[in-house]
Amino acid sequence: MHPNRHAIAFGSLVFLVVSIVLIIAALFWGWPKYKVYKKEMDGIAALKEAEWSKQILIEEAKAREQAALMQAKARVTLAQAEGEAKIVQAKAEGLADIERAKAAAEANRIIGESLKGNEEYLRYVWIKGLQDGNGERIYIPTEAGLPILEAAKAGK
């Protein structure tokens, strides 16, 4: 056995007790400082989070504004395109009306030319129309410009 065994054990025990006392003293001294430091860091983190939240809201508002502007521009462009389409359609319908009028005028000219010098045919068509008539009346104006009314035949 070692002759200083009791001394070494006592020295180790003293060292252990002194170390524990120093650790406890350091904790009593450091704990309040750590709490202040932690609060400061928590405040800085909360401030950064608030700044980021504010920045996110600003960016979202900018994006909504840009989207609204783009939608307004799209509506204006659509309205312009619809207006131009209506103009083109109106012009096309006008040209179609002109062509229909030309075709009707040409048809009337052809019919008119075919009926010139064809008195017998015209008289035949007129007589045929009188024969096929269903109770039609022809009123002939008199000297005063008033038609002779067939009151007696109207009741039949």
Side-chain angles (χ1 to χ4, degrees), residues 93-105:
E93 288 174 357
L95 290 175
D97 288 343
I98 290 170
E99 291 302 316
R100 279 193 288 274
K102 285 179 182 177

Side-chain angles (χ1 to χ4, degrees), residues 3 44 55-56 68 70 77 106 128 156:
I44 290 172
Q55 191 65 30
I56 289 170
M70 290 174 70
T77 303
E106 181 66 18
K128 187 78 171 152
K156 290 183 183 178

Side-chain angles (χ1 to χ4, degrees), residues 14-27:
V14 169
F15 176 76
L16 186 62
V17 169
V18 169
S19 297
I20 289 174
V21 168
L22 285 176
I23 290 173
I24 290 173
L27 284 175

Side-chain angles (χ1 to χ4, degrees), residues 1-16:
M1 294 232 233
H2 198 285
N4 290 335
R5 188 173 121 209
H6 290 295
I8 292 175
F10 180 71
S12 295
L13 183 64
V14 169
F15 176 76
L16 186 62

Side-chain angles (χ1 to χ4, degrees), residues 101-150:
K102 285 179 182 177
E106 181 66 18
N108 288 339
R109 185 189 61 77
I110 292 170
I111 291 171
E113 285 180 4
S114 69
L115 293 177
K116 286 183 183 173
N118 215 345
E119 294 293 325
E120 294 84 23
Y121 176 72
L122 290 175
R123 207 169 278 122
Y124 166 76
V125 171
W126 180 57
I127 292 170
K128 187 78 171 152
L130 289 176
Q131 289 174 350
D132 293 341
N134 296 327
E136 295 174 354
R137 293 185 178 82
I138 300 174
Y139 295 102
I140 303 170
T142 60
E143 293 174 4
L146 298 173
I148 300 173
L149 299 177
E150 300 179 18

Side-chain angles (χ1 to χ4, degrees), residues 27-105:
L27 284 175
F28 277 127
W29 176 80
W31 185 253
K33 294 191 182 294
Y34 172 74
K35 285 174 64 176
V36 169
Y37 173 78
K38 179 154 178 32
K39 292 280 185 184
E40 183 180 347
M41 289 297 120
D42 288 345
I44 290 172
L47 179 63
K48 288 290 183 184
E49 183 179 349
E51 287 175 359
W52 278 106
S53 296
K54 180 181 172 184
Q55 191 65 30
I56 289 170
L57 290 174
I58 290 170
E59 292 300 321
E60 286 176 350
K62 286 180 183 177
R64 281 193 299 272
E65 182 182 3
Q66 287 178 346
L69 287 173
M70 290 174 70
Q71 285 178 345
K73 286 179 183 178
R75 284 189 202 110
V76 168
T77 303
L78 179 63
Q80 287 174 343
E82 287 176 349
E84 290 173 3
K86 287 181 181 179
I87 290 171
V88 168
Q89 181 181 3
K91 285 181 181 179
E93 288 174 357
L95 290 175
D97 288 343
I98 290 170
E99 291 302 316
R100 279 193 288 274
K102 285 179 182 177

